[in-house]
Amino acid sequence: MTTVIPRLDRPTHRRVLALALPMTLANVTTPMLGFVGAAVIGRLGDAALLGAVALGAVIFDAIFWSFGTLRMATAGLTAQAVGARDDREVDRILARTLAAGGLIGLVLVTLQGLIGPIAFAISGASDAVRAGLATYFHIRILSAPFVLANYGVLGSVLGRGRTDLGLLLQVAINLIHIGLTLALVLGFGLGLAEAALATVCAEALGFGLGLVVLGRLGSHPFRVRLRDLRDAAALRRTLSVNVDVILRTLALITAIVLFSALGARQGDVVLAANSVLWNLFLICGFFLDGFATAAQTLCGRAVGARDEEAFRASAALSLRWCLGFGLGVSLLSLVGGPAFIDFVTTNALVRETARAYLLLAALAPLAAAAPFAYDGIYIGATWTRAMRNLMLCALAVYVATLALVQALGLGNFGLWLAFVAFLGARGFGQAVAYPALARATFTSGIPQSLRNAA
């Protein structure tokens, strides 16, 4: 007997905004952690300790970001299960992610003796900074199982379309972290080790809160049977999605590293100017990421419900809003960029250099709008293999463009031009591939992920 899945309500502008804006606010709260940590440790008056916290933040961002797929893949698969009205599969997906995140986290803790020295060597820090960094690293690494498990919790919440609860969890973890850091370091006069311990405690408490929130939503991942966790077809599907997203992320990191390295070769002033402009671009990205989350949720549900009309409407709305915000923040960057540059740096030469490349940097959010929206669409539909391949193609375009602008002697202008071209190539490739992928998804019957779960 065939199960009839009710058609979804038509997506609306209000629904897109209701999903996007909470995640935008959640993203904006994240940089507060680094700011508060640096400010609190800075009060101790030791530059080496401040440098250790800064480098430690970079190291852990790189490590944990590499496993951000746990959040994205969980959100996409969960949204499909929600669309198919399969509550049991929602719990199975979450249970598998929690198991994977906890296991990977324990492996990172176990291998800290190998990971730490490599990271310290790459950092090129002084002996004084390295000593503080070692203390910070070997305590904060203990948070790895909780951090990665929290990715799964957040992905499950977002896949259900509860971005309001996603905002609650992110803000709660950040506030706990800030409160503990202030209490331990300033209140009790403790130091770097306690600042790292505050992070571990915040992630652990955040995980506990996440389980409570999931329980209120009727989710009980620890009641999932072991044989369901070990289902071969489902595991292959989950592994394939996660590996695709990891490879896509590594390609993106490669592009960013190339940008930073080639900028650094042009001197300290250009490096500093690019850093200022890059932070401006990241702030703009916070707004775009919220709409990517909305696309992920709405499109995933539509695929799970096998509702092509809802899928295409969700994709179109998400793309329009992302492009609209991309244009808006690009114009805002162009108009407010000089004031932002002056606020971030007092160096006259760095200010002048940053202004010289502001136009191209301001175009970057607009060029990134389509890739952000399509990333959400592709993850919601679990078209992760296509997303991976298109990212690799865009990276090839980027490298070729870099070689050309270097040969033409365009310097930092060419570097920013190549980066904008990279973003444009991603969006163009995803747009071209989208119609065929959508046709294949809705002419093949039940999505593969749901056939595997059946």
Side-chain angles (χ1 to χ4, degrees):
M1 180 177 177
T2 303
T3 301
V4 178
I5 301 173
R7 292 179 67 82
L8 300 176
D9 294 334
R10 297 305 91 186
T12 63
H13 292 287
R14 178 177 294 182
R15 180 59 175 155
V16 171
L17 288 174
L19 289 169
L21 294 183
M23 282 314 299
T24 298
L25 293 175
N27 289 334
V28 170
T29 66
T30 301
M32 289 175 59
L33 291 178
F35 174 76
V36 171
V40 170
I41 295 300
R43 300 277 295 182
L44 299 178
D46 189 331
L49 294 182
L50 183 57
V53 170
L55 283 176
V58 171
I59 289 171
F60 283 104
D61 283 348
I63 292 173
F64 294 145
W65 193 28
S66 299
F67 297 102
T69 176
L70 291 172
R71 190 205 86 173
M72 291 185 282
T74 302
L77 293 170
T78 298
Q80 290 188 13
V82 168
R85 308 294 200 271
D86 190 345
D87 293 337
R88 291 180 60 193
E89 179 61 10
V90 169
D91 274 2
R92 287 193 290 261
I93 292 166
L94 176 58
R96 293 185 196 108
T97 304
L98 292 181
L103 181 60
I104 294 170
L106 290 174
V107 169
L108 291 175
V109 172
T110 303
L111 297 179
Q112 62 179 288
L114 175 64
I115 299 170
I118 294 174
F120 304 159
I122 293 174
S123 72
S126 66
D127 290 340
V129 170
R130 189 174 295 193
L133 179 58
T135 299
Y136 184 84
F137 176 87
H138 291 298
I139 294 176
R140 188 173 170 184
I141 192 69
L142 299 176
S143 70
F146 300 111
V147 171
L148 300 185
N150 281 332
Y151 283 172
V153 171
L154 182 59
S156 185
V157 168
L158 297 182
R160 300 162 198 258
R162 296 302 305 269
T163 54
D164 56 333
L165 295 178
L167 170 62
L168 170 68
L169 291 173
Q170 291 294 93
V171 170
I173 292 174
N174 292 345
L175 289 179
I176 293 170
H177 185 192
I178 290 169
L180 287 174
T181 302
L182 290 172
L184 293 175
V185 179
L186 295 185
F188 293 96
L190 301 176
L192 193 63
E194 288 71 26
L197 182 61
T199 305
V200 178
C201 292
E203 293 290 350
L205 291 171
F207 178 59
L209 177 61
L211 292 180
V212 171
V213 168
L214 289 169
R216 295 296 296 271
L217 292 175
S219 186
H220 302 286
F222 295 111
R223 296 182 187 176
V224 174
R225 295 172 300 182
L226 183 60
R227 70 179 184 183
D228 288 333
L229 285 180
R230 298 188 304 184
D231 180 85
L235 285 174
R236 281 196 301 271
R237 173 64 175 167
T238 302
L239 179 63
S240 173
V241 169
N242 279 280
V243 169
D244 288 338
V245 178
I246 287 174
L247 292 175
R248 167 260 185 197
T249 302
L250 289 175
L252 179 59
I253 291 173
T254 299
I256 295 171
V257 169
L258 280 173
F259 180 89
S260 299
L262 292 175
R265 290 184 181 182
Q266 298 179 56
D268 292 347
V269 172
V270 169
L271 177 61
N274 281 352
S275 176
V276 173
L277 296 174
W278 183 257
N279 278 285
L280 180 62
F281 171 69
L282 289 180
I283 292 171
C284 295
F286 293 150
F287 295 94
L288 300 177
D289 189 59
F291 290 100
T293 300
Q296 189 173 285
T297 301
L298 293 172
C299 292
R301 282 191 176 189
V303 169
R306 305 194 294 282
D307 190 334
E308 183 174 4
E309 184 181 343
F311 177 83
R312 292 186 181 278
S314 298
L317 277 176
S318 301
L319 187 59
R320 287 173 196 162
W321 273 105
C322 225
L323 288 171
F325 261 73
L327 177 60
V329 294
S330 283
L331 291 174
L332 188 61
S333 298
L334 194 58
V335 174
F340 177 84
I341 292 167
D342 290 347
F343 175 78
V344 173
T345 179
T346 58
N347 186 292
L349 190 53
V350 172
R351 285 178 171 180
E352 181 184 353
T353 304
R355 282 189 175 89
Y357 303 109
L358 177 60
L359 176 59
L360 278 174
L363 286 175
L366 179 58
F372 267 94
Y374 278 118
D375 275 355
I377 294 166
Y378 277 51
I379 291 171
T382 57
W383 298 336
T384 52
R385 181 176 299 176
M387 186 172 69
R388 176 202 68 193
N389 292 341
L390 291 168
M391 174 65 84
L392 293 174
C393 290
L395 182 61
V397 171
Y398 180 50
V399 171
T401 306
L402 281 175
L404 177 62
V405 297
Q406 292 287 315
L408 294 174
L410 296 181
N412 201 50
F413 177 85
L415 182 59
W416 275 101
L417 186 64
F419 184 70
V420 171
F422 166 67
L423 296 173
R426 284 194 62 210
F428 177 78
Q430 290 168 316
V432 169
Y434 168 80
L437 290 168
R439 282 195 301 272
T441 296
F442 290 100
T443 57
S444 61
I446 300 175
Q448 183 64 41
S449 58
L450 300 180
R451 289 201 297 270
N452 288 341

